[in-house]
Amino acid sequence: MDSNMVQLAVFLGLTALVALATWWRYRKDAKSADSAQDFFLAGKHLSWPFIAGSLLLTNISAEQIVGMNGAQVALVAWWEFGAIAGLLILAHVLVPLYYKHGCTTTPELIERRLGDPGLRALVSILFLAGYLCILLPVVLYTGSLFMKSMFSPQLSIFQIACFFAVVGLAYAFFGGLRAIAISDTFNGIGLLVLGGIYSGAFTPTEAAAVAALHALILAGVVYRALTWRTLYGVLLESTRASAVITLILAGSFILNYAFTAEGV
């Protein structure tokens, strides 16, 4: 089988796995009685890991992965360090301002401060036009260009871009902000693990340890479903399973040595 087809199958399989995990996590969340609030604000019930994961993955897109690799590393590093100052200003200045006026979007804040609904509509149109004409075309094109160069599918860049747009629309249409934030976080976990393996930061075995540590933090800190008592039971059961696997491997090595010595 062509290696490109194998890579494409793995990519599509991981994408489907993220979609399945997103659906499983989405259906467990409590839904708000206000349908608009539930769609656009996730019912105001998102936990901080999903908010942080969505913020991070919103800023990591195809134009960063493709474009920044061709830019100067020092310039990109200083750009990211500058983003820290921007996030601090956002957290300590702008977010309290939004809370004070009881609003969630920039056009809404402008209307509350200046009392002009027409100005709010104008700013909304400008933001929408900017995303439609500047940001989204770049994201779709660079993502399609990456897919074309990586997997060499028998599709044009335009067709791949349309596929990406339909998948993104499906997430937004059926799940709203909650589904997008959850899928962003799950994709971030995959990016961390696979990126660490391919970059040489850690081996596949160490990547499994990183994933286990992440699961431990989620279970203990985020969902608070893991206590010290249950943690002891989990560690004990894991030790028993590891011991059984080690004994099986030891027996296989001994059998392999015996077969080799006897020329079987």
Side-chain angles (χ1 to χ4, degrees), residues 37-79:
Q37 184 184 88
D38 189 74
F39 185 84
F40 291 103
L41 300 177
K44 297 183 178 180
H45 293 146
L46 277 179
S47 57
W48 67 264
F50 293 114
I51 296 174
S54 183
L55 280 173
L56 176 64
L57 267 294
T58 298
N59 290 322
I60 299 178
S61 187
E63 76 271 20
Q64 279 83 27
I65 297 176
V66 175
M68 284 186 174
N69 288 333
Q72 296 179 3
V73 176
L75 179 62
V76 173
W78 282 113
W79 175 273

Side-chain angles (χ1 to χ4, degrees), residues 11 30 46-47 75 77 82 94 97 103 115 137 142 145 150 177 222-223:
F11 171 79
L46 277 179
S47 57
L75 179 62
L94 296 179
L97 190 64
C103 53
T142 50
L145 184 64
M150 184 71 180
L177 179 64
V222 179
Y223 300 114

